[in-house]
Amino acid sequence: MSLKGNRPNVLAIVVPCYNESEIIETTIAALSEKLNELIAVGLASDSSFICFVDDGSSDETWGLIEKHADSGERVRGVKLAGNVGHQKALLSGLEYSAEKSDLVLTIDADLQDDLNVLEKMLEKYQAGAEIIFGVRNDRSTDSWLKKGTASLYYRLMEFFGVNTLKDHADFRLMAAKAVRALMSFPERNMYIRGVCVSMGFPCSIVYYGRQARIGGETKYTLSKMLSLGWDGITSFSVFPLRLISLLGVLFFLGALMVSLRIVYAHLFLDTTIPGWSSIVLPIFMLGGIQLLSLGVIGEYVAKIYMETKRRPRYLIDKIVGE
């Protein structure tokens, strides 16, 4: 038996859900089976549990969670008052579980993350790691669009100087101490993947192959992925603001070169239309860079606006299974 201290650790498995009625019972069965295996070999305490967070689902997801929680299984449910998004739902589950467990595993309901590496994660924890990241080294089950956009996403993160871990999503094992530290960050729009990498606790990595989705359709659409990526950039990097200065220099140099070309054409080629260049060039050059700059600055101002309101990240409607 491998454990810290003189007793098995209480393990909480946090699963955010949004309209997952097609697969939720399969997910509950698979996670319960795995948790019981860990308990049987002494890698997890008998008090361990699975916490499903319903992120304002409009189907039967919450009803199914409630049914299994009421049946005496190791299932607990947290129902949020509305749809707040995957990352905030994940935070609510982490906050709920932090004071009730020693370890918290986060995983998506589609079970594309491999449960068979959980023992390796626990071994890494016993070896001293406080955060163990699940990193995908095989994405053969993903579509070419999914793999292409993911590759572009990580390249952009690297380009903008965002501290992130390539091919790591939200499959990670965290000690309760690390979870409590994460919850001390007050941001309204927290980029969890970046914060976990940057906190400074001893970390380790476990590699696994991406599994096929067990059913239903992904709720992480392209627009949501782009929104998450932009949150990561604006939460961790001021490079876009500095890019405005760089663009200003480039546009100025470009306008200067075009102006020299127009002067040359006017003096030696006689092919210019009088008055056209002096009006159109400044409009396009200055107007374009101003609109771009205002857009980038506006995004950061919007972030400041959201943070200063200090509204709660989520509201809990109901908790079952305790």
Side-chain angles (χ1 to χ4, degrees):
M1 184 186 301
S2 177
L3 46 83
K4 287 186 179 180
N6 56 7
R7 62 174 179 81
N9 296 296
V10 178
L11 173 65
I13 302 177
V14 174
V15 189
C17 306
Y18 177 66
N19 290 344
E20 300 287 8
S21 59
E22 295 181 59
I23 63 172
I24 190 67
E25 293 199 281
T26 304
T27 302
I28 290 173
L31 291 175
S32 297
E33 180 182 359
K34 189 63 181 181
L35 189 56
N36 287 329
E37 287 178 10
L38 296 174
I39 292 171
V41 297
L43 290 176
S45 165
D46 191 54
S47 301
S48 301
F49 60 91
I50 309 165
C51 174
F52 288 91
V53 181
D54 179 29
D55 184 23
S57 298
S58 57
D59 61 2
E60 295 301 316
T61 298
W62 176 249
L64 294 171
I65 293 172
E66 199 169 25
K67 180 186 77 171
H68 285 272
D70 291 340
S71 67
E73 302 176 46
R74 301 183 187 278
V75 174
R76 302 185 187 185
V78 175
K79 180 176 172 54
L80 301 182
N83 178 243
V84 296
H86 179 273
Q87 297 293 285
K88 291 186 178 69
L90 195 61
L91 280 173
S92 69
L94 285 168
E95 185 171 23
Y96 170 81
S97 303
E99 301 301 329
K100 300 174 176 61
S101 62
D102 303 304
L103 291 168
V104 182
L105 175 75
T106 56
I107 188 171
D108 289 336
D110 56 20
L111 296 186
Q112 288 189 275
D113 301 315
D114 190 2
L115 285 173
N116 294 319
V117 301
L118 186 49
E119 286 87 353
K120 292 182 181 178
M121 287 182 158
L122 291 169
E123 289 176 8
K124 298 283 188 181
Y125 170 70
Q126 302 301 335
E130 299 289 345
I131 305 176
I132 300 91
F133 300 102
V135 176
R136 291 162 286 194
N137 60 0
D138 179 6
R139 304 189 66 147
S140 57
T141 59
D142 288 343
S143 66
W144 65 268
L145 178 62
K146 179 75 171 178
K147 287 186 284 190
T149 53
S151 177
L152 177 61
Y153 167 77
Y154 290 113
R155 287 178 183 274
L156 284 174
M157 293 291 114
E158 183 178 355
F159 176 75
F160 285 115
V162 179
N163 193 10
T164 189
L165 187 59
K166 184 179 180 182
D167 287 326
H168 166 69
D170 291 298
F171 184 42
R172 72 182 72 87
L173 182 69
M174 302 178 68
K177 176 176 68 175
V179 176
R180 288 191 291 270
L182 176 67
M183 300 313 301
S184 70
F185 285 72
E187 291 103 314
R188 303 300 96 187
N189 294 287
M190 187 189 299
Y191 184 60
I192 303 175
R193 302 175 189 182
V195 173
C196 287
V197 173
S198 304
M199 282 198 296
F201 289 103
C203 298
S204 188
I205 294 174
V206 170
Y207 293 97
Y208 67 97
R210 180 86 159 161
Q211 309 295 308
R213 186 178 171 88
I214 60 176
E217 296 182 356
T218 180
K219 307 306 183 295
Y220 238 109
T221 61
L222 179 59
S223 62
K224 289 183 178 180
M225 289 175 60
L226 292 173
S227 176
L228 177 65
W230 185 243
D231 278 344
I233 292 170
T234 54
S235 297
F236 275 84
S237 175
V238 295
F239 184 77
L241 293 173
R242 293 173 179 166
L243 188 61
I244 291 175
S245 300
L246 177 61
L247 286 174
V249 173
L250 292 177
F251 271 91
F252 171 76
L253 293 176
L256 182 62
M257 292 175 65
V258 174
S259 298
L260 292 174
R261 171 66 177 82
I262 290 172
V263 170
Y264 174 80
H266 178 73
L267 294 176
F268 300 102
L269 302 178
D270 196 25
T271 57
T272 58
I273 301 173
W276 180 87
S277 56
S278 61
I279 296 174
V280 173
L281 272 177
I283 291 176
F284 276 89
M285 288 295 182
L286 295 177
I289 194 170
Q290 285 173 351
L291 289 174
L292 177 63
S293 302
L294 286 173
V296 174
I297 294 171
E299 287 290 337
Y300 279 90
V301 171
K303 291 281 186 182
I304 296 170
Y305 172 65
M306 296 300 295
E307 294 294 335
T308 54
K309 289 193 294 186
R310 310 299 298 167
R311 291 180 180 176
R313 289 182 285 213
Y314 49 81
L315 296 173
I316 294 177
D317 180 30
K318 190 175 182 182
I319 296 176
V320 295
E322 292 186 318

